[in-house]
Amino acid sequence: MARYGMVMDMRTCVGCQACMAACTAENKTPFWNGKFRTHVEDKTQGTFPDVRRVLLPRLCMHCENTPCLSACPTGATFMTEDGIVKVNYDRCIGCYACCIACPYDARYAYDREDVHKEEELYGKFTAHEQPHVDKCTFCDHRLEEGMEPACSSTCPTHSRIFGDLDDPNSEVHKLATSGRAQALSQSLGTSPKVFYIPS
């Protein structure tokens, strides 16, 4: 069984936000309310003339030690055999305990207004029929078809490298274990499956 993960190569990310657009189209996230499963933080550091642009792609870290799962009172948040953290929409009661517990701010409320707007925009092709907490799933429906997540497959600079962390022949395994890639906020002990190679 695979253990899926991702490496963000910050040496090549240009902040084009193609990943956000691809994810939004693929998963019908409520862009109309500024809610995304993945986004790229774009900040400026320093003062003139020593100024630099800092980009940080963010999404669910699919942690091994998941605070969100522990916080969920109904079991709506769960982890699949291949390490993907998901939400069962039918069991989610919208208490947002998982949103509060997530140290990476990777979850958001897909509320009733969003459900109505999605129906208005997509008609019978809606993906979210009731309010719930939403988050990245590594596009598991695409994985079942042998494809990569929408964000990594559309990245023009190959900054998002996705694959099986346990496969020693995979690019993602080699990068994650190279010593250059690091997880965010390692001191939290969540053991994320998303890693970053600094620029």
Side-chain angles (χ1 to χ4, degrees):
M1 179 60 69
R3 186 172 66 94
Y4 290 119
M6 189 177 286
V7 171
M8 305 288 194
D9 191 342
M10 302 316 304
R11 299 169 299 180
T12 57
C13 179
V14 295
C16 68
Q17 301 184 358
C19 53
M20 292 175 63
C23 176
T24 297
E26 183 71 33
N27 298 293
K28 299 178 176 65
T29 59
F31 62 89
W32 50 86
N33 275 332
K35 300 174 184 177
F36 301 93
R37 288 185 177 188
T38 187
H39 65 281
V40 180
E41 290 182 10
D42 190 341
K43 298 181 179 180
T44 302
Q45 285 186 347
T47 55
F48 181 81
D50 299 314
V51 179
R52 73 183 199 117
R53 184 181 185 200
V54 178
L55 300 167
L56 183 66
R58 300 285 300 274
L59 72 166
C60 173
M61 300 291 149
H62 296 278
C63 306
E64 292 285 355
N65 181 22
T66 51
C68 58
L69 193 151
S70 304
C72 179
T74 65
T77 294
F78 66 100
M79 185 185 296
T80 65
E81 288 184 1
D82 45 20
I84 298 173
V85 178
K86 296 182 61 178
V87 178
N88 180 328
Y89 299 158
D90 293 327
R91 298 189 71 171
C92 179
I93 58 173
C95 69
Y96 310 131
C98 60
C99 297
I100 296 167
C102 175
Y104 302 102
D105 194 27
R107 292 169 167 248
Y108 62 87
Y110 209 112
D111 58 31
R112 196 166 301 283
E113 177 189 339
D114 295 328
V115 171
H116 293 320
K117 184 68 175 179
E118 182 193 14
E119 186 176 8
E120 178 185 318
L121 290 173
Y122 299 107
K124 65 180 181 179
F125 299 104
T126 58
H128 308 270
E129 298 177 353
Q130 74 265 2
H132 60 274
V133 168
D134 197 45
K135 60 175 291 298
C136 165
T137 63
F138 278 154
C139 289
D140 61 328
H141 60 287
R142 289 173 59 93
L143 300 182
E144 291 173 4
E145 301 296 323
M147 299 185 289
E148 288 184 59
C151 65
S152 59
S153 68
T154 199
C155 180
T157 59
H158 193 58
S159 295
R160 293 179 176 229
I161 300 95
F162 178 82
D164 182 0
L165 290 168
D166 288 342
D167 177 1
N169 296 314
S170 70
E171 184 181 8
V172 73
H173 171 86
K174 291 173 183 175
L175 290 172
T177 59
S178 67
R180 291 175 293 172
Q182 304 168 9
L184 293 182
S185 305
Q186 294 181 57
S187 61
L188 295 174
T190 57
S191 300
K193 290 193 282 292
V194 176
F195 303 88
Y196 293 80
I197 297 175
S199 57

